[in-house]
Amino acid sequence: TNPIEVIRPLMLILGTVTTIEVFSGFSVDGIPDYRLLLWFGLAIIIDLLTGIGKAIALKQQRTSEGYRKTVIKFIQYGGAMVIAIIISSVATQQNINVAPYTTFLGNTLVVWFIYIELTSMCENLIAIDPKSKTVKFIIRPLYKLLTVQLTEKSSVEDLVEKDKGLK
């Protein structure tokens, strides 16, 4: 899958909203910072690549279903951002002072999406090579921090064992 194809729906949505704002004079509030959006796009691409790596490592067949999940995820994330933008724009048009909160809301949504993708990347990397030193000293501690796990055995290890048919 071409990485540009993966981020195209989100860029199309944001481009449309910006164009409407510029040409109609309709103010659109709450658009997330473009740098966060770039990091978000990169996170989705890396998650896709680590997901492919996981499928290869676990000898699972790669099908269009897995790729569709990435596109669906992008549409869901984009939809959530558009809803937040619409709510904040309508509130602004109704003279409800939400301006201080709208950009914060948009940025918070994107940071949350990046967090989800980072967690998924960690799961994929642990599944690819659970015994590697990188996983042992960097990825697994990061994953446990992200998922606030205080137990010795992480749930991702259970998932790997289940994927391999060991459980």
Side-chain angles (χ1 to χ4, degrees):
T1 299
N2 182 349
I4 298 300
E5 294 298 319
V6 174
I7 63 172
R8 182 172 280 158
L10 181 60
M11 299 316 289
L12 180 65
I13 291 168
L14 290 174
T16 303
V17 168
T18 303
T19 303
I20 290 170
E21 177 181 327
V22 168
F23 290 109
S24 71
F26 182 75
S27 175
V28 178
D29 296 317
I31 295 179
D33 186 274
Y34 75 93
R35 291 167 292 213
L36 280 175
L37 291 173
L38 290 174
W39 280 110
F40 172 57
L42 182 64
I44 285 204
I45 291 168
I46 294 172
D47 183 43
L48 172 67
L49 296 175
T50 59
I52 292 169
K54 175 184 171 183
I56 291 169
L58 298 178
K59 297 180 179 25
Q60 296 174 335
Q61 186 174 4
R62 291 170 308 284
T63 63
S64 63
E65 179 182 343
Y67 300 119
R68 270 196 307 271
K69 286 180 184 178
T70 299
V71 173
I72 290 169
K73 189 174 11 177
F74 231 116
I75 291 168
Q76 289 172 335
Y77 290 155
M81 282 190 273
V82 167
I83 289 170
I85 290 168
I86 290 171
I87 289 170
S88 63
S89 295
V90 168
T92 301
Q93 295 299 317
Q94 298 295 321
N95 293 324
I96 301 171
N97 186 15
V98 294
Y101 311 106
T102 56
T103 302
F104 175 77
L105 174 63
N107 288 340
T108 302
L109 276 173
V110 176
V111 168
W112 179 252
F113 299 152
I114 292 170
Y115 163 79
I116 293 168
E117 292 303 302
L118 185 58
T119 303
S120 177
M121 283 183 252
C122 288
E123 291 171 350
N124 292 337
L125 292 170
I126 291 169
I128 289 170
D129 190 3
K131 305 270 188 236
S132 79
K133 289 184 180 185
T134 304
V135 166
K136 182 178 181 181
F137 294 112
I138 298 172
I139 306 300
R140 189 170 288 120
L142 176 62
Y143 178 75
K144 287 185 176 189
L145 180 69
L146 290 170
T147 58
V148 194
Q149 289 187 14
L150 303 175
T151 61
E152 285 298 313
K153 189 169 185 176
S154 71
S155 61
V156 75
E157 290 167 334
D158 292 333
L159 292 173
V160 170
E161 291 175 6
K162 186 177 178 183
D163 281 344
K164 289 183 177 179
L166 299 175
K167 275 196 164 184

